[in-house]
Amino acid sequence: QAQLVESGGGLVQAGGSLRLSCAASGRTFSRMGWFRQAPGKEREFVASISSSSSTTDYADPVKGRFTISRDNAKNTVYLQMNSLKPEDTAVYYCAAKAVVFQNYNYWGQGTQVTVSS
């Protein structure tokens, strides 16, 4: 059974860094991404990466601060988050597509990121 498991969340001061990991199992995936949901807000896209890592995409609020990468040998995708701001506080979810033209149909359970001011 396909599964995504996130790790690496925590509490950090503004300006600090965290690296999130998402370990995939059960199958290989096409495009993979990170989404986040802050309290009282809808879930929003953060970043995505193609299966070959040839293309990446970022939401405007995180461009220049976050970097998405993947290691297909480990079936793992990462999100390096630098220069964190209090507004980055959210539950971060890993997501994956089985096939590139489908919607994200696999989701992890989420990991909490809290940035203190």
Side-chain angles (χ1 to χ4, degrees):
Q1 185 173 355
Q3 191 175 13
L4 302 175
V5 179
E6 302 100 332
S7 61
L11 173 64
V12 64
Q13 288 188 335
S17 298
L18 282 175
R19 188 177 83 153
L20 305 183
S21 299
C22 172
S25 61
R27 64 163 297 146
T28 57
F29 294 98
S30 177
R31 198 166 193 89
M32 298 185 73
W34 290 93
F35 291 74
R36 67 186 182 186
Q37 187 168 20
K41 295 187 177 181
E42 294 187 353
R43 186 170 58 193
E44 63 177 4
F45 168 78
V46 175
S48 68
I49 187 167
S50 63
S51 57
S52 64
S53 301
S54 59
T55 64
T56 57
D57 190 24
Y58 296 92
D60 286 343
V62 308
K63 282 181 180 177
R65 300 188 298 122
F66 291 11
T67 302
I68 190 170
S69 62
R70 66 192 289 172
D71 183 339
N72 288 337
K74 296 181 179 179
N75 215 8
T76 299
V77 64
Y78 305 97
L79 185 68
Q80 178 67 44
M81 305 185 295
N82 299 329
S83 303
L84 283 162
K85 304 175 181 180
E87 52 263 43
D88 294 318
T89 295
V91 178
Y92 283 71
Y93 297 92
C94 177
K97 298 183 179 185
V99 178
V100 65
F101 295 113
Q102 290 181 344
N103 292 328
Y104 287 99
N105 48 3
Y106 292 89
W107 293 85
Q109 83 287 353
T111 185
Q112 177 70 47
V113 171
T114 303
V115 184
S116 63
S117 58

